[in-house]
């Protein structure tokens, strides 16, 4: 065999080496190609799929459980556990919707996996809800401290929040006695509301309300759970909680507390303050407003003894009391109810517009209602309806059978818009038809129920026999021309004083050849007996005229009623054109009648244990016997006194000194025969109320130290016609004596009321000096009244001034409103149930806003409510927030004992568990991964 | 001469090693991680059964959907009785709904809609399509009949491969033919209710 | 000398492969645990317990302080924090789940 | 010399075998039935448990409701006997699963938590049993003193 090389060994070694290397390299190449692929890639991808399936299943399971719990409102959070990385790869988890079907998606590079969750909408009590799945998270988050979570979130926003109120009458009860509980709602209830009252002793009461008021009487026999009032062994504060929520919307709720004062021995119970604070609504969307309520209430008892009054009315019956005074005064703009339609014509052509009605109103438009029968538009004519086309009135009468109204025609109306307005003088509902015909084709034909009137009313309270009621300067009425005054006058009243006659008389117009002319208003006055009076002018001026022989020689009235019935008087006011019109009217009664009314009203406020006496004064004063010896001039029988008040009449000049003196002599404490019985009015508090309309004009000279409490006077220059200084001085002297004189160790209090037209007169100055200081605010107990209302209010104020529960109250309320807080301040207002004045200041600091209230006093059963309007900022984060800064909020007031004596000042912090508000988005629910 | 042989020898050894290894490497995957469908299946079975038993479905009148409307309407079957006042009555199935469900599952287009709205078909996104079958049996294990017709035994045809089944115990709002059980000889109803067993099977 | 070298080479490769395989076994371990979490969630989610509380919260008679107190105690025994009051206010907490509803009704 | 060649071949074979065995031992051994399965059975069982509690709690029925069961529970020398009707229902359901069950009543007696086991349902569970429970507002002063709420706990296993 031939050989290629000689030295075989060397060759073989070389070849061997080469081959070896070759094989190695192949091996390495294969290794590197194969291994990674087969041993890692394919493996990891499978493992990933499985892990993905695991995580997806987890999320899906949680999702399923969520939607099957799905609280109407609330939040569920669940942690997901997932491997931070699979085969050292991270991956991504997310939830989303595909064609309204939710799904979970996991992905890492090219490896993906999906898991369906099902259709997104669900039924729930209160409607359909739509789940919004979403959110995304990276696996690496799994090892961070906030693990990935699945979160369900649903926040409810309310259509309204039922503002429940619970109140007690009386709010202070003796143990074992009864009180009336009233449950009501402050706002309109548009959906059924469930309410529940929890009583102090654990019992509760609950019902469904559709907006009505619920009343019940409860007897206080169980005070378990009531808190004993600090520093008084026999008073208990019993609290009820009232809660209300919309049926099926529990989170739309509100609750208030009310405290009932229960005393085992009310006689020794000191008056005091209770407060209650809450927020309404306590659930708002961003940007929505809400209210913070702080309610202060004066509590206490007026029972046997100390707090009772012995009142003497000292009423001026001088001549000028015969004059008239304003009883009510109206001025308001009446806006007509206008039917307005717009039609558009695309081409020009024949346009006809009809506005008519087929109804008729005989009870309103009727010749017998007319001051001059058959001079007014009889029954019912076309003047009732007014038609305006593009603002201009179309006055053509349209009448067709029973249809009557107005019509507008335009043979070739240009194309464009036409505004049609219809007004009818309809004091009750009628049907009005509006018809539009264009080119013989009806393009509009509608019949709408329509009425067009405003009602104003006032009430003449009972108890007084009013001599007359006159109403004057009513404007814009229709008028009858050529109406002369009737020359014969009718007497209303006539009497003589010291031979001088005193009388009132009135006359009215005669119809003559009168002609009717429309005004811009039709006004009917509906009397308490239901009869209507269609008001008109005569010759453009008033229809009636009245006068007396003591300075008033002509008041011109549109209505004049002699011996008017008590009850409600209603004006029905109908504008007859499309323009707003002013209605005004002024009602008058006699001053003396107003005075009687005021006095009687005051008496009606008194309790049955209060005593009343009566003195009237003019040139001389006289006490009026209302009872029998030894207590001749005082009684607890108010109605008897009221009758006497009713018989008073205006007489002569004015002697305040005499009035005051005899007023004080009414008290049975001066050991005088037949009127000497201090014990009869034991424990009561003496009060003199002097009502006068004038200035001192006369007095009785006195230099006897035993008369007029030693107040001298030389009255030689006082004639009764003009200002009488000696009378003033004497009166002040007497007043001064009385103020320092004690009955039942109360100083005699004097309150004065100036009933006139000129507050600046020196008479008023004098009255102010006469008055003693009010117990509630230490101001002079003096009032000025021009109208009957003011007079009545003056008396009410006097009454209340002797009923106070606390003095010098100052409230500081700090709310969490600032740049950083989630709330904005809108406004603050405060209201007192008895109209007592409250000063309010708002100060915004950089971390809070402080509201301060100041009141001189709060009376028993007076409710003072502070209402702060706040708003959740638009960007406010959702969640629950404290609105108040309790540490800075407090009430401070002067405490009174049961004798009305001041006994120190106390401060109570304002703390409430109901002063939280929750801000929500009110969105559909979402289930998200985060 | 002999030396040459030697190297061949080595070559042989190496190649054997190499081939064995490659062989091993190639069949390893089978040995390694296999895809574990049961995880998905289990969850789906649980999910579907829960949806059916504890949810009234959507909309409130989904069971009025006829076969021709199932394509256009959006709905999700749920068999639980729904009371406007008190809400869902868990585990209390409405016969009316069951019948409707069966009807839909019988229809070839509707079953696909049901599958989609139950979230069992996300193939358009690249997910798996799950097959499922639902049946209602009484405690003895035979299908519940109502007016002598089987109430519910519908869905895809159950194969031999891996199937995950989930059971729920429910009661019907109407009295079916065979929902009583025999206890000590007498034939009674559990808790005065027509108790049955709902089986949901899911596979790929 | 060459001889030894070659032998070692092969063993070396073998070793390398084993190492790789071991590394995969870790991946495989992850595969084995797959499925545990999901099943635990399905097992652990307190759906029924929450519904239970909601039912209790639906009536004021079962929401008296004493009842709620006893419920709290029994919950605590299972390691849950339960709280509810009439009407329909329910709170539930355990390791995985926090449930807090103003109105628990579905 | 010859021997040397042999060894090479042997090493090759040895190495490959080594790998083969390594792989098998590592994986074959661990490829067991996946744990999530046994877990899943528990899920199934637990769910059935809840269903049972729901189904046998029929407010319209007296003894077929948990409340009624507790109310009419009778007890003597440490045993607690549920009304027959209730026991019947429960055992019927358990047989149908099939599964074994244990029923405990747990309540707070004012100072401590107490447990009562129903007489016919007092078997001891296996380790992999599942527990479901339901809080029932009911009372039974002579058997469950001071209880206002009773936890009815059902333990199930197969």
């Amino acid at each position: 065999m031939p050989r290629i090389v000689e030295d075989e060994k060397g060759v073989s070694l070389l070849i061997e080496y080469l081959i070896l290397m070759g094989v190695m390299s192949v091996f390495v190449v294969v290794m590197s190609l194969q291994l990674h692929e087969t041993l890692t890639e394919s493996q990891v991808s499978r493992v990933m799929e499985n892990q993905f399936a695991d995580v997806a299943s987890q999320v899906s399971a949680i999702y399923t459980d969520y939607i099957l719990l799905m609280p109407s409102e609330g939040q569920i959070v669940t942690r997901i556990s997932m491997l931070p990385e699979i085969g050292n790869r991270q991956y991504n988890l997310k939830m989303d919707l595909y064609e309204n079907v939710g799904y979970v998606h996991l992905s890492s590079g090219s490896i993906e996996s999906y898991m369906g969750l099902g259709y997104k909408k669900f039924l729930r009590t209160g409607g359909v809800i739509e789940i919004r799945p979403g959110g995304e998270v990276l696996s690496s988050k799994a090892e961070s401290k906030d693990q990935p979570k699945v979160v369900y979130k649903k926040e409810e926003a309310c259509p309204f929040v039922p503002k429940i109120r619970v109140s007690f009458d009386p709010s202070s009860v003796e143990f074992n006695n009864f009180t009336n509980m009233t449950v009501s709602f402050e706002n309109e209830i548009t959906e059924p509301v469930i309410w529940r009252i929890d009583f102090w002793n654990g019992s509760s009461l609950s019902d469904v309300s559709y907006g009505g008021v619920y009343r019940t009487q409860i007897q206080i026999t169980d005070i378990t759970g009531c808190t004993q009032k600090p520093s008084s062994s026999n008073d208990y504060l019993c609290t009820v909680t009232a809660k209300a929520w919309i049926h099926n919307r529990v989170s739309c709720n509100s609750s208030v507390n009310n405290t009932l004062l229960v005393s085992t021995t009310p006689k020794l119970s000191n008056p005091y303050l209770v407060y209650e604070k809450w927020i309404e609504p306590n659930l708002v969307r961003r940007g929505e407003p809400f209210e913070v309520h702080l309610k202060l209430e004066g509590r206490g008892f007026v029972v046997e003894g100390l707090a009772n009054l012995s009142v003497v009315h000292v009423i001026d019956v001088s001549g000028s009391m015969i004059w008239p005074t304003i009883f009510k005064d109206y001025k308001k703009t009446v806006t007509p109810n206008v039917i307005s339609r717009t039609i558009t014509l695309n081409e020009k052509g024949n346009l006809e517009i009809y506005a008519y009605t087929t109804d008729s109103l005989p009870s309103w438009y009727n010749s017998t209602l007319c001051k001059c029968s058959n001079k007014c538009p009889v029954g019912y004519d076309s003047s009732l309806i007014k038609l305006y086309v593009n603002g201009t009135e179309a006055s053509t009468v349209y009448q067709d059978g029973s249809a009557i109204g107005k019509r507008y025609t335009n043979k070739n109306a240009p194309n464009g818009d036409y505004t049609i307005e219809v007004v009818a003088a309809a004091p009750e509902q009628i049907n009005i038809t509006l018809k539009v015909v264009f080119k013989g084709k009806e393009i509009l034909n509608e019949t709408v129920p329509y009425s067009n009137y405003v009602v104003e009313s006032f009430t003449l309270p009972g108890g007084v026999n009013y001599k007359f009621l006159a109403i004057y300067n009513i404007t814009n009425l229709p008028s009858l021309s050529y109406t002369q005054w009737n020359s014969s006058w009718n007497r209303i009243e006539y009497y003589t004083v010291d031979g001088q006659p005193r009388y009132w008389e009135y006359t009215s117009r005669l119809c003559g050849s009168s002609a009717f002319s429309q005004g811009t208003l039709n006004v009917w006055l509906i009397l308490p007996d239901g009869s209507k009076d269609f008001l008109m002018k005569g010759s453009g001026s008033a229809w009636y005229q009245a006068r007396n022989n003591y300075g008033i020689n002509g008041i011109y009235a549109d209505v004049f009623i002699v011996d008017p019935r008590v009850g409600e008087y209603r004006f029905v006011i109908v504008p007859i054109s499309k323009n707003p019109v002013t209605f005004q009217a002024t009602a008058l009664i006699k001053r003396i009648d107003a005075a009687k009314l005021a006095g009687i009203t005051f008496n009606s406020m008194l309790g049955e244990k209060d005593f009343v006496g009566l003195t009237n004064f003019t040139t001389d004063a006289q006490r009026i016997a209302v009872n029998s010896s030894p207590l001749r001039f005082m009684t607890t029988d108010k109605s008897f006194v009221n009758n006497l008040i009713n018989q008073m009449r205006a007489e002569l000049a004015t002697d305040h000194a005499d009035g005051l003196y005899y007023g004080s002599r009414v008290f049975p404490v001066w050991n005088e025969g037949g009127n000497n019985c201090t014990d009869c009015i034991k424990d009561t508090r003496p009060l003199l109320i002097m009502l006068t309309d004038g200035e001192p004009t006369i007095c009785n000279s006195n230099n006897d130290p035993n008369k007029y409490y030693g107040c001298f006077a030389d009255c030689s220059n006082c004639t009764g016609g003009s200002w009488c200084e000696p009378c003033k001085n004497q009166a002040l002297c007497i007043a001064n004596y009385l103020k320092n004189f004690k009955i039942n160790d109360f100083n005699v209090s004097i309150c004065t009321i100036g009933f006139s037209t000129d507050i600046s007169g020196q008479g008023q100055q004098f009255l102010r000096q006469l008055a003693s200081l009010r117990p509630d605010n230490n101001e002079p107990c003096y009032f000025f009244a021009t109208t009957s209302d003011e007079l009545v209010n003056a008396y009410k104020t006097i009454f209340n001034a002797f009923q106070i529960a606390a003095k010098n109250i100052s409230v500081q309320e700090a709310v969490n409103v600032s740049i950083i807080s989630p709330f904005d301040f809108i406004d603050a207002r405060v209201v007192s149930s008895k109209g007592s004045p409250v000063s309010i200041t708002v100060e915004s600091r950089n971390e809070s806003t402080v509201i301060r209230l100041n009141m001189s006093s709060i009376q028993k059963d007076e409710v003072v409510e502070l209402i702060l309007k706040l708003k959740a900022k638009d960007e406010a984060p959702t969640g629950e927030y404290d609105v108040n800064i309790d540490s800075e909020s407090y009430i401070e007031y002067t405490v009174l004992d049961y004798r009305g004596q001041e006994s120190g000042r106390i401060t109570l912090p304002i703390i409430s568990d109901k002063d939280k508000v929750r801000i929500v988005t009110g969105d559909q629910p979402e289930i998200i991964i985060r | 001469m002999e030396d040459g042989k030697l190297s061949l020898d080595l070559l042989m050894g190496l190649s054997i090693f190499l081939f064995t290894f490659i062989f091993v490497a190639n069949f390893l995957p089978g040995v390694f991680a296999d895809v574990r469908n049961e995880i998905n299946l289990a969850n789906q079975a649980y999910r579907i059964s829960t949806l059916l038993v504890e949810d009234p479905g959507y909309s409130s009148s989904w069971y009025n959907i006829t076969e021709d409307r199932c394509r256009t309407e959006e709905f999700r079957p749920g068999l639980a009785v729904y009371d406007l006042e008190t809400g869902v009555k868990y585990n209390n199935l409405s016969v009316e709904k069951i019948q409707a469900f069966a009807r839909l599952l019988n229809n070839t287009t509707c079953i696909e809609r049901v599958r989609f709205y139950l979230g069992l078909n996300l193939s358009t996104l690249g997910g798996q399509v799950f097959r499922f079958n639902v049946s209602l049996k009484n405690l003895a294990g035979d299908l519940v009949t109502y007016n002598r017709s089987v109430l519910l035994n519908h869905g895809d045809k159950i194969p031999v491969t891996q199937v995950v089944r989930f059971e729920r115990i429910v009661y019907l709002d109407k009295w079916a033919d065979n929902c009583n059980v025999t206890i000590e000889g007498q034939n009674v109803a559990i808790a005065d209710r027509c108790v049955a067993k709902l089986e949901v099977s899911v596979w790929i | 000398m060459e001889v030894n070298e070659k032998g070692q080479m092969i063993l070396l490769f073998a070793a390398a492969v084993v190492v790789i395989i071991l590394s995969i076994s870790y991946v495989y371990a992850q595969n084995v645990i797959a499925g545990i979490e999901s099943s635990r969630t399905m097992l652990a989610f307190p759906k029924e317990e929450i519904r239970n509380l909601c039912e209790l919260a639906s009536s004021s008679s079962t929401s008296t302080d004493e009842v709620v107190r006893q419920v709290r105690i029994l919950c605590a025994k299972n390691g849950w924090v339960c709280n509810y009051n009439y009407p329909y206010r329910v709170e539930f907490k355990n390791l995985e789940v926090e449930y807090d509803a103003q109105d628990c009704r579905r | 010399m010859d021997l040397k060649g042999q060894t090479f071949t042997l090493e090759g074979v040895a190495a490959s075998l080594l790998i083969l065995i390594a792989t098998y031992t590592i994986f074959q051994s661990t490829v067991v039935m996946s744990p999530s399965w046994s877990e899943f059975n528990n899920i199934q069982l637990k769910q059935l448990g809840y269903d049972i509690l729901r189904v046998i709690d029929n407010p319209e029925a007296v003894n077929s409701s948990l409340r009624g069961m507790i109310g009419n529970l009778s007890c003597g020398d440490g045993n607690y006997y549920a009304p027959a009707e209730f026991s019947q229902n429960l055992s019927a359901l358990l047989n149908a699963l099939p599964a074994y069950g244990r029923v405990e009543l747990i309540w707070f007696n004012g100072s401590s938590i107490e447990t009562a086991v129903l007489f016919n349902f007092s078997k001891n569970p296996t380790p992999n049993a599942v527990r479901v429970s339901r809080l029932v507002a009911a009372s039974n002063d002579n058997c469950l003193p001071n209880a206002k709420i009773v936890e009815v706990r059902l333990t199930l296993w197969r």
Side-chain angles (χ1 to χ4, degrees), chain A residues 160-230:
Chain A
F160 69 96
V161 169
K163 301 182 174 183
I164 188 168
R165 298 287 179 268
V166 58
S167 61
F168 294 104
D169 177 28
S171 58
S172 311
V173 197
E174 185 167 4
F175 187 69
N176 279 329
N177 284 14
F178 292 88
T179 183
N180 300 310
M181 185 177 77
T182 308
V183 180
S184 60
F185 292 92
E186 198 185 72
N187 55 341
E188 195 196 350
I189 301 305
T190 52
E191 289 175 40
V193 164
I194 298 171
W195 58 262
R196 176 148 159 263
I197 307 281
D198 290 308
F199 291 94
W200 49 86
N201 60 1
S203 61
S204 70
L205 177 68
S206 137
D207 197 358
V208 182
S209 166
Y210 301 88
V213 176
Y214 176 94
R215 286 191 187 78
T216 181
Q217 189 181 51
I218 53 177
Q219 185 176 20
I220 311 304
T221 52
D222 177 9
I223 54 172
T224 51
C226 299
T227 55
Q228 193 177 47
K229 200 176 118 204

Side-chain angles (χ1 to χ4, degrees), chain A residues 85-297:
Chain A
E85 45 188 35
I86 303 168
N88 55 49
R89 289 198 208 165
Q90 295 199 348
Y91 55 99
N92 180 309
L93 165 66
K94 81 174 216 278
M95 240 196 301
D96 203 350
L97 275 178
Y98 170 74
E99 289 184 4
N100 297 335
V101 171
Y103 66 87
V104 187
H105 174 238
L106 288 107
S107 62
S108 171
S110 58
I111 308 168
E112 289 192 305
S113 128
Y114 291 85
M115 162 97 61
L117 300 171
Y119 185 63
K120 66 174 180 181
K121 289 188 186 166
F122 295 86
L123 288 180
R124 195 192 61 201
T125 51
V128 172
I129 68 170
E130 200 174 313
I131 300 285
R132 291 192 285 107
E136 190 164 2
V137 66
L138 201 65
S139 62
S140 60
K141 200 180 170 208
E143 61 200 347
S144 73
K145 66 181 157 310
D146 62 336
Q147 253 184 307
K149 295 183 190 67
V150 183
V151 180
Y152 169 94
K153 197 141 167 279
K154 171 82 174 87
E155 290 170 330
E156 190 73 60
C158 301
F160 69 96
V161 169
K163 301 182 174 183
I164 188 168
R165 298 287 179 268
V166 58
S167 61
F168 294 104
D169 177 28
S171 58
S172 311
V173 197
E174 185 167 4
F175 187 69
N176 279 329
N177 284 14
F178 292 88
T179 183
N180 300 310
M181 185 177 77
T182 308
V183 180
S184 60
F185 292 92
E186 198 185 72
N187 55 341
E188 195 196 350
I189 301 305
T190 52
E191 289 175 40
V193 164
I194 298 171
W195 58 262
R196 176 148 159 263
I197 307 281
D198 290 308
F199 291 94
W200 49 86
N201 60 1
S203 61
S204 70
L205 177 68
S206 137
D207 197 358
V208 182
S209 166
Y210 301 88
V213 176
Y214 176 94
R215 286 191 187 78
T216 181
Q217 189 181 51
I218 53 177
Q219 185 176 20
I220 311 304
T221 52
D222 177 9
I223 54 172
T224 51
C226 299
T227 55
Q228 193 177 47
K229 200 176 118 204
S231 77
S232 70
S233 54
N234 43 35
D235 290 1
Y236 298 87
L237 308 182
C238 302
T239 305
V240 294
T241 303
K243 185 169 190 184
W245 61 90
I246 303 177
H247 180 54
N248 280 336
R249 291 243 182 121
V250 186
S251 52
C252 304
N253 63 44
S254 79
S255 73
V256 286
N257 292 356
N258 201 335
T259 313
L260 185 65
L261 171 60
V262 178
S263 181
T264 49
T265 52
K267 183 164 184 168
L268 301 174
S269 164
N270 296 337
Y272 72 110
L273 282 185
V274 290
Y275 79 88
E276 154 72 352
K277 182 156 89 183
W278 72 96
I279 287 182
E280 265 170 352
N282 52 11
L283 174 66
V284 294
R285 285 208 194 85
R286 292 191 177 111
E288 276 182 350
F290 60 94
E291 292 176 339
V292 182
H293 290 248
L294 176 62
K295 193 178 85 185
L296 294 179
E297 195 166 354

Side-chain angles (χ1 to χ4, degrees), chain C residues 13-103:
Chain C
F13 283 120
V17 175
V18 172
V19 168
I20 296 168
I21 292 168
L22 286 175
S23 74
I24 302 168
S25 73
Y26 144 78
V27 176
Y28 187 75
Q30 290 193 330
N31 187 49
V32 174
I33 61 167
I36 291 181
E37 293 303 339
S38 58
S39 39
R40 211 191 74 258
T41 324
M42 283 185 259
L43 209 52
F45 196 92
K47 182 175 64 186
E48 299 287 341
E49 285 74 9
I50 290 169
R51 281 184 184 155
N52 199 178
L53 290 179
C54 192
E55 284 159 22
L56 293 174
S58 68
S59 133
S60 56
S61 62
T62 56
S63 307
T64 62
D65 296 353
E66 177 55 20
V67 178
V68 177
R69 183 166 146 271
Q70 294 196 3
V71 169
R72 286 218 194 89
I73 292 168
L74 292 177
C75 282
K77 175 181 57 64
N78 299 329
W80 309 327
V81 182
C82 304
N83 190 16
Y84 69 90
N85 50 39
Y86 179 77
Y88 307 113
R89 177 88 174 85
V90 171
E91 286 174 276
F92 182 98
K93 275 192 184 53
N94 68 12
L95 280 175
E96 289 82 10
V97 184
E98 292 177 17
Y99 177 96
D100 178 356
Q102 306 293 328
D103 179 356

